[in-house]
Amino acid sequence: MLAEWINDYLIELIEGFLQGCWKWLDTFMLSPTSFTKQENGVIGDTQQWIMYSIVGISTLFMIFAFMKELTKRIGGYSNRSNSEIISKGILSVVFAYTAPWMLIGVLLAVSNAITAIFFAKKVNIDTLKKIMDITDDPTSAMVIAMLFLAITVIWMTFQYIVRFGHMMILWVLAPFAATTIVNEEMNVFPAWWREACAVVFMQPLQVMILFFIVNLIGSGKELEDIFLAIGLMSVLILSPGWLRKFLFSTGSGKTMLNAAGGAGRMAMYKLFMKR
């Protein structure tokens, strides 16, 4: 009798928690991410203002780098050539104008394409609502799993609202991050690149984990499946931090810059040799 009362109370609690979350989760997590509205609003205007000042900011960074290297040469310990500074200065302007497109046109497009595969497998709000419908004689283990899933859904709702804001800031500041390439000490572009990858690709990663959870709860016939689904819910919540740590432990971003910088220096060297 007491167990039934607890089950009924938890079901009502779950339904109350989820009432306002479905719409927001559908908008921010279980739909392709889009920046169309933001591109044409105040946020887009702010980014355009930053883009207009890119050449001036990059020139200032190049002057700073030249002055620093001149001071080092006077002291006899210079480790950068003029061609390297010039090539990275040009590279910073190129990346400043292409970085916003790389974020939305490349990273986000790839992320949406991967996520669409799981959307096609019915990982959506309707499927979650059907799984959460546990009013027909649920077991205690199923009620516990539903409670964990409800907490996960609420957490994911807030997490994806924050993700969307995070991506907007990364998009707006992309040109400025690229202009710092010319400076060794103040180069934040590799960090921007890794952060952008972590924020963008957290959606396909978490939708994939949610796909596993939906299948384990929806078709699981053993108690082990339910508890495995509960374990995956904690992984679902913590996965953005793990993805970020993984990307920041690698050399992604620096490798791309070094390759582009090397190509730029080689092009300048060939140009000078022809002359």
Side-chain angles (χ1 to χ4, degrees):
M1 191 73 177
L2 179 61
E4 290 179 3
W5 179 84
I6 293 174
N7 281 1
D8 292 339
Y9 174 76
L10 287 175
I11 290 170
E12 291 179 6
L13 188 66
I14 291 168
E15 290 175 350
F17 277 150
L18 292 174
Q19 242 177 5
C21 288
W22 292 124
K23 178 183 177 182
W24 297 110
L25 190 69
D26 189 29
T27 301
F28 290 103
M29 181 182 180
L30 298 179
S31 298
T33 306
S34 174
F35 275 88
T36 305
K37 293 181 180 179
Q38 287 68 32
E39 287 179 357
N40 301 321
V42 177
I43 297 172
D45 294 340
T46 304
Q47 195 211 52
Q48 285 299 315
W49 179 82
I50 295 175
M51 293 282 275
Y52 293 147
S53 60
I54 286 306
V55 176
I57 296 172
S58 182
T59 302
L60 288 174
F61 277 130
M62 284 184 65
I63 292 172
F64 176 79
F66 275 122
M67 294 297 293
K68 180 182 172 184
E69 287 307 307
L70 180 61
T71 304
K72 284 185 176 181
R73 286 175 185 177
I74 293 173
Y77 57 95
S78 175
N79 57 359
R80 298 182 75 186
S81 63
N82 291 337
S83 62
E84 179 186 353
I85 297 174
I86 295 172
S87 63
K88 284 198 172 182
I90 297 171
L91 191 66
S92 68
V93 175
V94 172
F95 272 119
Y97 283 98
T98 57
W101 172 80
M102 289 166 61
L103 176 62
I104 296 179
V106 179
L107 295 181
L108 196 58
V110 172
S111 172
N112 287 338
I114 297 171
T115 308
I117 297 172
F118 295 99
F119 292 159
K121 295 180 180 294
K122 305 299 181 183
V123 182
N124 51 40
I125 288 297
D126 292 334
T127 304
L128 284 176
K129 284 182 177 179
K130 288 178 183 178
I131 289 178
M132 299 295 287
D133 186 13
I134 54 174
T135 54
D136 299 331
D137 192 26
T139 63
S140 297
M142 183 62 76
V143 171
I144 292 172
M146 291 304 102
L147 180 60
F148 273 96
L149 185 57
I151 294 171
T152 302
V153 166
I154 294 168
W155 182 272
M156 298 301 295
T157 301
F158 288 105
Q159 194 175 67
Y160 270 79
I161 292 172
V162 172
R163 172 186 180 261
F164 196 79
H166 196 168
M167 285 183 63
M168 283 193 294
I169 296 300
L170 287 169
W171 180 66
V172 170
L173 295 180
F176 177 77
T179 58
T180 64
I181 291 174
V182 72
N183 276 294
E184 293 179 325
E185 292 84 358
M186 295 183 287
N187 183 9
V188 299
F189 187 75
W192 176 89
W193 175 258
R194 289 191 290 266
E195 188 67 18
C197 290
V199 173
V200 169
F201 287 109
M202 71 177 267
Q203 184 179 20
L205 174 63
Q206 289 186 310
V207 171
M208 179 186 69
I209 298 171
L210 188 62
F211 172 71
F212 296 152
I213 294 170
V214 166
N215 278 273
L216 283 169
I217 295 178
S219 59
K221 298 180 180 179
E222 298 180 2
L223 190 64
E224 181 183 352
D225 295 329
I226 295 175
F227 285 112
L228 180 57
I230 293 173
L232 282 173
M233 291 175 204
S234 65
V235 175
L236 181 67
I237 292 172
L238 298 174
S239 56
W242 295 351
L243 181 61
R244 185 172 283 105
K245 287 180 182 178
F246 171 76
L247 287 171
F248 273 83
S249 67
T250 66
S252 58
K254 287 185 178 179
T255 304
M256 179 180 65
L257 283 179
N258 290 336
R265 288 194 297 273
M266 181 61 68
M268 291 188 67
Y269 175 75
K270 289 183 177 180
L271 180 63
F272 289 140
M273 287 297 292
K274 286 181 179 178
R275 292 183 178 180

